[in-house]
Every structure is written in C-alpha cells, then in structure tokens.
Amino acid sequence: MMLRALLLSLLVSAAPLGFAYAKTYALVVGVDAYPYEVSLDGAVKDATDVEGALRRAGIDQMATFFDAAARKDDIRAAWTGFVDAAGEGDTIIFTYAGHGAQMPELVAGDEADGLDEFLQLPGFDRNRAVETDHEIIVDNELNAWFSEAEAKGVHVLFVSDSCHSGGMSRAFSGKTRLAQAVTVKLSPPSQEAVSGAQVKEAQFRQVTVLAASLESQPSPEVIIGGEARGALSWSFARAVEGSADRNEDGRISRIELEDYVFANVKHQSEALQIPNFTPQVPRSEDEVVMPLTRSVAGAADPSAQKTKTHRPVRETGWDGKLALTVSGSQMVLESTGGSGVPYRWDAASGVFYTPNGDVAGENVNEGNIQVVVNKFILLDFLKAMASQNPGTVSLTPQRDIYAAGDRLAFDAPGSGYKNMIVFNLANTGEVQLLDVQAEGTESREFKLTDLQVVEPFGADHLIAISTNEPIDAIGAALASKNVDASTLLQLLMTRIDGTDTSVAIQPLYTREKL
C-alpha cells in the first residue's frame, strides 16, 4: 500500500500544477415551463442530461436550476459563489437550455444591429416587460459576469442551447427556442448591463462561448432517441462523457470539442443548424476548454494505458426498429414498432416524413416502403456509431435544403485510417456506392465536384466510413450493386460495430424549384 501511495504521489506531482489541482464548477439551467410564453418540450431533458454527464466526468461542484427554480437572483448568486471559490486555472462551465430572444439595445450604439440578446427565464412576461425585466439575463450582463471570472484567471465555458433570430427553409413541425422579440425600450435592468456593454468579446482571453446556432438561424428542438431535444445539449453531453477526448488525455481541447460538436449537431439535427463558437478560431492548438477530473491520475502519466472503448451500437440504446405511423395502407412492415416520436408514411400521397416533419421521400408506395424503412434503421445505426467517433464531410454551398437544378460539391477528407467507404443512402432507400479505398497507409480525400439536384426529391444521406478493420467484403457487396440497406446493416454490424471506426454523415434534403 505504501508503494502504491508513493507511486500515485509521484504521478500527481509530475503533472502540471494547473492541471493536477484545477477545479471545475458547473452551473446548469434548463427551462421548459414558461407561464407567459410557449413552453418547450426538451430543455429540461437537455439540462438533466448535461448534469448527469458532468457528474460522470467527475464534477461535483454544481448548481442546477430547472423550470420555476430558474430565477435570476439565485443563478447570479450561484455564479458569484463559484467565482469567489475559484482560483487561477480553475474552470466554470455554464450551460443554458431554454428560450432566447431579442430586444432594443439597452446602451445606445452598443450593438451593430441595434438589438440585445437575452436568456428568458420563466418569470419574465413581455406584456409586463418593465415590471418583470429582472427575470431576463442580457448579453451585456453575461459579459460582466464573465469578466469577473477572467479577472481571477478562471476559465469560462458557456454553452447556450437557445436562439435569437432567423428562419429555416425546410418544413419543420417541432418547436424552436426563439421567444417573441420585446419591442418596448427598457431601461437597463442592472448596472451590469451598462458596464458589460463596455466589454467586447475580443477582449476575453479565457472565455469560450458555444451557441446552438448562428444568429441568422433558429435553434429547433429535434427528435433524438424518440424525444424532443436540443442537438447542441445532446452533443455536448456526449462530448463530456469522453467521446470528444480523442487523444484520451483527460482533457477536452477546444479543437476536440469543436470537431465533435459540429459533426454531431449536423447528424442529430439533420443539418438544420450550425453551432457557433466564440472566438471562431482556437487561441492555440492545445487550448483546453474543459478538464475531465475523473482522469487526472491517468492523464498525469503519459504511459498510462488508454481506456477509451467503442461500444457496440445496441449498448447505446439502438434496437433495430423504427417508430412509424401509417395512413392509407394495411401493409405489415418488418422492423417497425420502435418507441418515441414516429416517422410517418401517407400511402395515399406517397410522402414519407421524418419525426421532425421533413419530407424524407416522395412516391413511396407499398412496393418500396420497406426499403425506405430499412434505410432509416441503418441511418440510426450509423448515427449511433458517429456519436462515439464522428468523421467530417461537407457540402458546398452549405444550405439546409437544395432545389432542383442546384449544383453542389461533396468532400470527404482523408483520415488517419487505412480504409474508407463512401456511399449514398438515397431517399428511395437505395444504397449507391461512391468510393472504396482499401489497405492504404492512409485514406485519400474523396470529392464529387459537380453534383446536380434531380428528382426524386427528399432526403439523401452521404456517408463516409473510415476504419482500420478489413473492408473487402463490405466493398465487394456494395460494388455488386445488389446490396440493400438491410444487408449493409448486417455487414457493418458483424465487421465494424464496436471497433475504432469513424462515421461521417451529410444529410442532403432536396425539393422542386420554387
């Protein structure tokens, strides 16, 4: 026992002091129930998911505020307590899931668009804005709060799963975290709103802000695992659980968090939103935004064995079934009956809808409906793999929906893996092989430079799988042009499920030209 204690002592003393002894505090806010506003469905689920992930990461200095408990004075007091307790090199994580909104700027000339953004707490009533303005947190006030931490050398990571403005081109049946704008001019609700206006984002050196979307986009609640959720909160929770820690050093760098979150928000929102980091460019290649304190001992020893594992997809909750409602047909379909918000097939019109309300396929009839169902079962499997190890692919130009005749380019960058398979899951359910790269020292970039949108319209999904596992059998099956989504699923389950494999997914939604 004495030898073990001595070795542990040496390991900790060998670690950089700021890492070995740094503390992390977390303030988590989630609001669904708005007495004076349209309530949300998934914000509290998001907040509790993030809370659980943070606790599993080893963070026990935490304050949580859900629904009616989310009062500004109490949140402010918790923030002040953390700043007072924290020292140089410590980290405060502040996450918010709920409504965001805009109002006329409180300090003249402070905002380029003349509008301040704010987090809307349950006690705010825009019909009594002057009387209840103490229950909003304005962006300027957040600047003042963050400045307090920065002055002590405390790192701040603020994750805001809310939205402020903009519109979407695609049909969408869910809720957005965008409250109606306040139109009356309010007096500054606090002195902090005035002092914070003097602080510009560029002045921060230890503050990182991760927002659910650009200001030109709303943040929708999307269906993940059958439930309404925020794609940013879901992705952040998975990142904190360790999925973003690619080099397994017990810390999540800004680059690791960015790569993980960008990919999974795209996957889970079906390309409806793009997260926004501030600053846009990492301050350094090794900038750390969050330590995973459970891993201090292992991270202090460079020779410590890596413990990250890749779970089989069934262990993530995937069950190989699709929740589906059918109207206009009595056909019995295989592998349906899953739980949660369902896909929908209207046999009379031939339209197949996603749980989010998007048109996923047209001209879907009894002859091809099973093939379409099989496609989305496979897609859910691939999303579950991607949540553990996401890859990168892109479409240019970047849009949430493309019209007939539009031209675009698809890019699947090379990776550090030996093998890569690129294919398309068409809206018809067909599997279309695009490229196979087997047994190289490193996969090469794959490009399609002049794609054109043509009928049939709906949702295609371009997939890139990168792995060091043998892929000859998978490639041969795809090259035969006889493999369908169900067969491909079985090939992937028996050959790469649970392995160190990267999956990238690029949704491609199309429609007729308006």
Side-chain angles (χ1 to χ4, degrees):
M1 288 296 293
M2 290 185 63
L3 177 60
R4 181 181 176 188
L6 176 61
L7 288 174
L8 180 59
S9 174
L10 289 173
L11 285 176
V12 173
S13 64
L17 291 178
F19 178 51
Y21 297 105
K23 296 180 180 178
T24 303
Y25 305 81
L27 195 164
V28 180
V29 180
V31 182
D32 279 334
Y34 284 91
Y36 312 110
E37 190 63 66
V38 175
S39 289
L40 297 170
D41 297 322
V44 172
K45 291 189 191 80
D46 288 343
T48 54
D49 188 16
V50 168
E51 176 195 9
L54 290 169
R55 291 194 187 282
R56 289 189 292 276
I59 299 169
D60 54 11
Q61 300 294 314
M62 190 177 306
T64 60
F65 301 91
F66 303 151
D67 281 337
R71 294 180 293 270
K72 183 177 180 179
D73 286 347
D74 294 336
I75 295 170
R76 180 57 166 120
W79 174 268
T80 300
F82 287 159
V83 172
D84 289 345
E88 184 176 358
D90 290 346
T91 299
I92 301 176
I93 299 169
F94 181 4
T95 74
Y96 172 82
H99 274 310
Q102 291 180 310
M103 66 181 187
E105 61 184 1
L106 297 174
V107 178
D110 175 46
E111 300 284 350
D113 60 0
L115 297 171
D116 272 322
E117 282 77 42
F118 64 87
L119 309 181
Q120 180 169 327
L121 302 177
F124 178 69
D125 180 0
R126 69 193 60 255
N127 294 318
R128 297 182 299 116
V130 174
E131 295 86 354
T132 61
D133 66 2
H134 57 282
E135 290 302 330
I136 63 176
I137 304 176
V138 184
D139 50 7
N140 291 346
E141 293 177 311
L142 288 173
N143 282 349
W145 296 14
F146 298 161
S147 293
E148 295 172 354
E150 174 124 340
K152 293 188 66 176
V154 176
H155 303 285
V156 175
L157 174 60
F158 176 52
V159 182
S160 178
D161 202 344
S162 62
C163 58
H164 307 298
S165 64
M168 289 180 292
S169 300
R170 294 208 328 244
F172 181 75
S173 59
K175 295 177 179 178
T176 62
R177 296 181 177 179
L178 173 65
Q180 182 181 353
V182 171
T183 57
V184 299
K185 176 74 172 178
L186 299 178
S187 58
S190 69
Q191 183 57 39
E192 291 175 341
V194 177
S195 63
Q198 309 304 316
V199 181
K200 303 304 178 186
E201 292 172 346
Q203 296 175 243
F204 288 127
R205 293 292 178 267
Q206 299 186 91
V207 176
T208 300
V209 177
L210 174 54
S213 60
L214 303 171
E215 283 193 14
S216 60
Q217 293 180 316
S219 299
E221 290 195 329
V222 298
I223 304 304
I224 302 176
E227 298 180 322
R229 293 292 305 272
L232 176 65
S233 293
W234 186 93
S235 299
F236 180 68
R238 306 290 78 75
V240 168
E241 288 173 339
S243 292
D245 184 17
R246 289 201 176 193
N247 63 2
E248 302 173 56
D249 65 351
R251 295 172 286 185
I252 298 177
S253 73
R254 159 64 191 269
I255 292 175
E256 287 176 326
L257 183 62
E258 185 172 318
D259 287 348
Y260 185 86
V261 166
F262 267 94
N264 276 288
V265 167
K266 178 170 69 174
H267 297 164
Q268 299 300 333
S269 73
E270 287 288 288
L272 273 172
Q273 64 187 104
I274 302 170
N276 187 32
F277 272 88
T278 302
Q280 288 188 326
V281 178
R283 298 177 179 96
S284 67
E285 289 186 5
D286 58 353
E287 177 188 357
V288 173
V289 292
M290 181 184 168
L292 301 177
T293 56
R294 63 164 188 269
S295 304
V296 167
D301 179 9
S303 66
Q305 184 176 359
K306 305 301 185 182
T307 58
K308 189 172 182 179
T309 59
H310 301 273
R311 294 185 295 162
V313 166
R314 286 194 183 276
E315 292 184 9
T316 69
W318 177 86
D319 63 2
K321 294 183 178 180
L322 196 75
L324 176 69
T325 59
V326 176
S327 61
S329 174
Q330 300 299 314
M331 185 177 180
V332 177
L333 296 167
E334 298 175 1
S335 302
T336 57
S339 60
V341 179
Y343 289 79
R344 293 185 294 117
W345 174 46
D346 183 345
S349 67
V351 179
F352 191 86
Y353 297 93
T354 72
N356 293 325
D358 272 314
V359 174
E362 299 176 343
N363 304 317
V364 179
N365 53 45
E366 291 189 351
N368 62 3
I369 177 61
Q370 185 66 59
V371 177
V372 174
V373 166
N374 292 344
K375 171 209 164 154
F376 284 98
I377 292 172
L378 171 58
L379 182 64
D380 283 346
F381 172 87
L382 292 168
K383 285 183 177 180
M385 287 198 70
S387 71
Q388 300 183 72
N389 189 2
T392 301
V393 289
S394 62
L395 282 177
T396 308
Q398 191 169 261
R399 299 173 187 161
D400 59 8
I401 192 165
Y402 299 84
D406 285 351
R407 294 185 178 276
L408 52 149
F410 171 66
D411 181 20
S415 69
Y417 294 92
K418 296 178 182 178
N419 308 316
M420 183 166 73
I421 303 174
V422 186
F423 58 93
N424 180 40
L425 294 179
N427 61 69
T428 59
E430 182 183 358
V431 180
Q432 302 165 339
L433 177 63
L434 298 175
D435 190 32
V436 176
Q437 299 176 20
E439 293 304 320
T441 55
E442 187 173 317
S443 61
R444 308 177 307 277
E445 181 179 32
F446 172 78
K447 278 182 174 288
L448 288 175
T449 57
D450 193 24
L451 288 172
Q452 184 173 12
V453 175
V454 296
E455 294 184 272
F457 305 117
D460 286 30
H461 291 81
L462 296 153
I463 312 293
I465 297 177
S466 300
T467 184
N468 291 325
E469 302 298 316
I471 62 166
D472 295 309
I474 302 172
L478 286 168
S480 72
K481 299 183 180 180
N482 294 321
V483 67
D484 58 12
S486 179
T487 303
L488 180 56
L489 174 60
Q490 295 305 313
L491 287 168
L492 298 179
M493 289 181 68
T494 56
R495 286 168 170 81
I496 64 172
D497 188 19
T499 69
D500 179 10
T501 294
S502 173
V503 176
I505 305 170
Q506 177 60 61
L508 171 56
Y509 281 77
T510 60
R511 67 181 179 198
E512 292 182 357
K513 198 171 187 67
L514 299 180

